[in-house]
Amino acid sequence: MIPMSSDRRFLTFPAIHPCSAVSPAALLADISSLAADIQASGSPQSDHFRTHRRAAREAVRFASVIISFLDDLCFPATLPSAAILSLSDLHVTLQKLRLLLSDCARGGARLWILMNAARVAGEFHALLRSFGPALEVLPVDSMDVSDEIRELLRFLAGQARRVDAGVEVVDDRAARSVRSMFTKFESGESPDADDLRRVLNHLNIKSWSDCLEEVGFLEEQIFADEENGDSALLWSAMGLMIYSMVVVFDSTTSGNKKKMEGFFFLRRESTVAVKHLPSDELRCPISLELMKDPVTVSTGQTYDGPSILRWLKSGHQTCPITGEKLSSSVLIPNSVVRKLVGVYCHENGISISQKRKTSKRDLSKTLSPATPAAVAAIRMASTVIVGKLAAESPEKKSIAAYIIRMLTKSNNFNRICFVEAGAIPLLLNLLSSSDPSLQENAAASLLNLSKHHSGRTDIFESAGLAPVVETMKIGHKAEARQNAAAILFYLAAIEECRRAIGDMPEAIPGVVELLGNGTYRGKKNAILTIYALLLFSGNQAKILAAEAVAAISKLIETEEEDLVTDCVGLLAKIAERDDGADVILKSGYVVDQLVNVLRISSSPSGREYCASALLSLCNNGGEKAMIMLEKMPLLIPSLYSLLSDGSRQASKKARSLLNCMHQFADQAYAQRRPPPPADPMIHVL
């Protein structure tokens, strides 16, 4: 079985050609699985295919004929070379066709598929026609199949030669309507509401949540577009979806209101569900670890993606739990289990790091839209959304705050638009809401806006420090509290704001308190915020008075390595000043922790931070620090190890610390050594 890759670019169709030594049984079994996947992609009359319906119908029909042929065939031990060649070509075609159908049915990609109708139709045309040559050279007369199947294959080969999978009339009409809307946006006009609704109905986009899914997909493609070849069309399409989301769909109309209530209800219910769900239900039956990438196989069982892929690649074709033969190689992402795992980890303070390699997003791509149409559409939509924040209806406020949260998550231009539209004062007011979900969405939106310099400036100038600190202290939910702490981190980038935060009696104690009782992300946000506040020297005494060193020490003892690395980095910053070094030395145990982390940590940054902290303690703590370090026999071997295999900067710090220790040892030895005996006096007569 060939699992579908999740790393490929959209509308690209990589395929693996079977090797020349492939066994007939394996080749036929794989073709059967691929054809079954295509057939299972659903009826073209369903909502899976909103465009290219005729081509999708032909693809499903072609796959059904292949399945009939394989069901009728008695799998032989050997096949003629012509048959192997023909079936290998058919195997490649089916791989590509499965990927094409998967892209056409992908949630959130409906508008993008429509705007690339000619390209998609060309792919269908080429793949469906390739059935012809593959089947024409297949020696069906020498294969053990019925006469009916032979005739069916010959008929299919002839049809494939003549197939015409061009752009359908309804798709072409809808695509031309969308382009005319782009033109209207560019001239500063709003598109005709009836035309827009017709296009949305054609794509089966029926709610604000459908639009939001489209926006998310289009934004992904903007980040993935390395050569910016599709940038203009992507931005225009995204602007249209944002406009549709807030102008066409009213969240308080009957259908959308139910969807909105269901959305927030599911979020609340998932938190309740994990409290009564045994953690074993969230663990992979193969690896017994929490499922970071849960996928469901054809038998309905769910496994962690990497584990089931290793199982399949090792040659197994059965379900590990039931033992049933897998009828399809498709691994379907299980978003429900993924959300439950996320909630479970969130509620229990567990970090579930993703080991999958993810490319870092270049946010500069979102700083300026590629087209005037996108600029106009997004600005119009931003004004409407911000207006809903001031509405009397709690439903409108909830959905508006959530939409702002999602649209500003990784898009700089959207952040600028919402700041300019006046969102920040209204969001600050919502922090005092008695509705936990509304407060959480408002805090998350403010966090996203604070990542842009205009946003954090507006928060500070709108007297936003007080409500943010209050949310950090007594927010309804852990996520709201940790987001408020992260807002303070970004606000601390403003020099005047660092001083103002320190002057608030509850601010620094509140951040330090989060080190002890926050979730994993809450603790990480608190560490970063304290580090930023230390950039103003007047805050150090207040941070020490809040017993931050003791809280950091507890984290080092109990948390995983990446959080420990952040902790020792924070201690290194505190130790740069005399008062900080004095508090660390008085605790005693913290010095032991620094030496232990230096010795056992696998993090290069963590070891360098330890060396930096210990060096600052020597420089600022004087003889007291040197005496403590001298009594630690494992320190010097660890420093020599860092000297040999650490970075240039880490080696430099290790060398400086070793020199300090050697000089102190030499001075101590010189003081303890008895004076040399006086030379005997010789009297000369």
Side-chain angles (χ1 to χ4, degrees):
M1 293 188 179
I2 301 177
M4 293 178 69
S5 171
S6 60
D7 298 327
R8 68 181 179 90
R9 288 282 304 276
F10 191 73
L11 291 182
T12 60
F13 314 108
I16 302 171
H17 199 284
C19 65
S20 57
V22 65
S23 71
L27 179 59
L28 292 169
D30 226 19
I31 290 174
S32 176
S33 176
L34 288 166
D37 291 346
I38 293 171
Q39 189 182 50
S41 61
S43 167
Q45 281 73 36
S46 71
D47 287 339
H48 289 302
F49 303 104
R50 299 305 301 177
T51 58
H52 304 89
R53 288 190 161 202
R54 186 175 64 247
R57 183 167 58 248
E58 288 294 280
V60 172
R61 187 171 65 82
F62 281 24
S64 299
V65 172
I66 299 301
I67 290 173
S68 299
F69 159 61
L70 295 175
D71 287 344
D72 192 62
L73 176 69
C74 294
F75 281 27
T78 60
L79 281 172
S81 58
I84 292 290
L85 178 62
S86 170
L87 292 171
S88 295
D89 289 343
L90 188 62
H91 185 277
V92 171
T93 296
L94 290 171
Q95 288 181 65
K96 294 183 176 183
L97 191 56
R98 182 179 68 168
L99 293 175
L100 177 57
L101 288 168
S102 172
D103 284 349
C104 289
R106 177 170 172 175
R110 285 168 281 192
L111 179 59
W112 188 237
I113 289 290
L114 175 67
M115 301 313 294
N116 285 274
R119 175 182 172 187
V120 173
E123 296 288 354
F124 269 120
H125 185 84
L127 290 174
L128 292 175
R129 284 212 166 189
S130 65
F131 276 83
L135 293 176
E136 284 173 356
V137 299
L138 182 67
V140 290
D141 291 333
S142 62
M143 302 179 78
D144 188 10
V145 292
S146 65
D147 292 339
E148 181 183 356
I149 292 296
R150 290 192 183 95
E151 287 302 316
L152 188 59
L153 289 176
R154 292 190 182 101
F155 180 69
L156 180 62
Q159 279 194 321
R161 285 285 192 183
R162 299 187 301 274
V163 74
D164 182 13
V167 178
E168 297 182 28
V169 174
V170 289
D171 294 341
D172 182 61
R173 186 186 303 121
R176 284 190 282 108
S177 293
V178 171
R179 288 191 170 86
S180 71
M181 294 174 197
F182 294 163
T183 303
K184 288 201 170 190
F185 277 129
E186 289 177 0
S187 62
E189 301 177 37
S190 298
D192 182 78
D194 291 335
D195 287 346
L196 182 53
R197 285 191 176 88
R198 274 193 291 271
V199 170
L200 296 174
N201 287 335
H202 177 67
L203 297 174
N204 200 35
I205 296 174
K206 297 181 177 179
S207 68
W208 63 269
S209 55
D210 290 341
C211 292
L212 194 58
E213 187 179 25
E214 296 283 317
V215 171
F217 170 81
L218 292 166
E219 193 170 76
E220 284 180 13
Q221 300 310 302
I222 289 173
F223 286 117
D225 185 22
E226 297 177 356
E227 299 178 357
N228 294 326
D230 295 323
S231 180
L233 185 56
L234 284 165
W235 269 103
S236 296
M238 185 168 69
L240 178 63
M241 283 294 100
I242 293 174
Y243 177 86
S244 301
M245 176 168 49
V246 299
V247 175
V248 176
F249 299 110
D250 184 355
S251 61
T252 56
T253 57
S254 57
N256 288 293
K257 185 175 180 180
K258 288 180 180 178
K259 287 197 173 196
M260 182 191 71
E261 290 172 347
F263 173 81
F264 288 111
F265 174 77
L266 286 174
R267 295 187 69 200
R268 289 193 297 270
E269 286 298 295
S270 61
T271 302
V272 175
V274 295
K275 293 181 180 178
H276 303 284
L277 185 68
S279 64
D280 289 347
E281 298 294 329
L282 302 177
R283 297 183 183 276
C284 175
I286 299 174
S287 67
L288 303 182
E289 299 290 336
L290 286 172
M291 289 185 277
K292 302 170 186 175
D293 184 20
V295 294
T296 300
V297 298
S298 60
T299 59
Q301 302 296 327
T302 298
Y303 303 92
D304 198 20
S307 298
I308 191 64
L309 279 175
R310 284 193 295 271
W311 172 269
L312 295 173
K313 288 179 179 178
S314 65
H316 298 91
Q317 297 183 3
T318 57
C319 174
I321 290 181
T322 66
E324 298 177 46
K325 184 174 180 179
L326 297 174
S327 61
S328 169
S329 62
V330 173
L331 304 178
I332 302 172
N334 193 323
S335 59
V336 174
V337 173
R338 182 190 292 275
K339 289 176 182 177
L340 287 174
V341 171
V343 173
Y344 176 82
C345 294
H346 177 79
E347 293 296 317
N348 292 277
I350 299 172
S351 168
I352 182 163
S353 58
Q354 295 290 338
K355 294 184 179 180
R356 294 177 299 168
K357 186 177 178 181
T358 55
S359 56
K360 190 173 181 180
R361 289 184 163 187
D362 180 8
L363 293 187
S364 65
K365 288 189 171 186
T366 66
L367 191 56
S368 178
T371 64
V375 172
I378 295 172
R379 288 192 185 279
M380 289 180 192
S382 300
T383 302
V384 175
I385 297 172
V386 171
K388 292 183 179 182
L389 287 176
E392 294 183 4
S393 166
E395 291 86 0
K396 285 189 176 182
K397 289 180 181 178
S398 293
I399 201 65
Y402 178 74
I403 289 174
I404 294 174
R405 174 182 184 173
M406 300 309 295
L407 293 182
T408 58
K409 190 173 183 180
S410 53
N411 192 303
N412 275 320
F413 182 73
N414 290 351
R415 292 169 184 167
I416 294 169
C417 286
F418 282 110
V419 171
E420 293 177 349
I424 283 178
L426 296 170
L427 289 168
L428 289 170
N429 289 337
L430 296 180
L431 290 179
S432 59
S433 171
S434 58
D435 182 347
S437 293
L438 182 53
Q439 183 191 62
E440 176 193 336
N441 286 322
S445 297
L446 286 166
L447 172 57
N448 293 340
L449 296 176
S450 70
K451 294 176 182 179
H452 192 270
H453 64 85
S454 64
R456 49 182 171 263
T457 301
D458 202 8
I459 293 174
F460 183 50
E461 293 178 351
S462 300
L465 279 182
V468 169
V469 170
E470 184 179 5
T471 303
M472 180 187 65
K473 290 280 291 180
I474 59 171
H476 298 300
K477 299 170 73 173
E479 187 167 355
R481 295 193 294 273
Q482 67 194 20
N483 283 341
I487 293 170
L488 293 180
F489 165 73
Y490 285 103
L491 292 177
I494 304 172
E495 184 175 355
E496 185 182 356
C497 198
R498 288 196 289 270
R499 183 193 298 269
I501 294 171
D503 289 341
M504 298 182 69
E506 295 185 338
I508 288 177
V511 178
V512 173
E513 184 180 346
L514 202 58
L515 287 175
N517 60 20
T519 63
Y520 171 83
R521 193 160 69 87
K523 292 171 182 176
K524 202 167 184 68
N525 290 348
I527 291 171
L528 294 173
T529 302
I530 293 172
Y531 194 97
L533 292 175
L534 285 170
L535 297 177
F536 172 58
S537 59
N539 286 333
Q540 171 123 331
K542 299 170 184 176
I543 290 170
L544 295 175
E547 299 185 351
V549 171
I552 295 168
S553 176
K554 289 180 181 178
L555 281 183
I556 293 176
E557 197 65 29
T558 61
E559 295 295 338
E560 54 189 73
E561 189 169 48
D562 64 330
L563 204 55
V564 169
T565 297
D566 293 340
C567 286
V568 295
L570 185 53
L571 287 174
K573 184 66 178 175
I574 291 173
E576 289 177 359
R577 291 171 54 89
D578 293 348
D579 54 350
D582 185 55
V583 171
I584 293 173
L585 291 171
K586 283 180 179 178
S587 68
Y589 184 58
V590 177
V591 181
D592 292 333
Q593 288 179 313
L594 287 170
V595 173
N596 189 52
V597 173
L598 174 64
R599 183 174 63 87
I600 68 173
S601 176
S602 61
S603 166
S605 299
R607 297 177 71 202
E608 181 177 341
Y609 288 145
C610 287
S612 180
L614 293 170
L615 182 59
S616 293
L617 291 177
C618 290
N619 293 333
N620 299 323
E623 184 177 356
K624 180 180 179 181
M626 298 307 305
I627 292 173
M628 290 182 68
L629 296 181
E630 191 179 38
K631 295 177 181 179
M632 298 179 178
L634 296 176
L635 174 58
I636 288 182
S638 300
L639 289 174
Y640 276 114
S641 173
L642 186 62
L643 188 64
S644 62
D645 59 20
S647 66
R648 182 178 178 182
Q649 194 68 19
S651 298
K652 183 178 179 180
K653 292 173 182 176
R655 186 179 295 107
S656 299
L657 185 53
L658 284 167
N659 289 338
C660 289
M661 295 182 69
H662 289 321
Q663 289 174 9
F664 180 78
D666 291 343
Q667 291 173 2
Y669 176 75
Q671 292 174 359
R672 290 194 299 268
R673 187 176 60 184
D679 292 335
M681 184 177 295
I682 301 175
H683 297 279
V684 179
L685 297 175

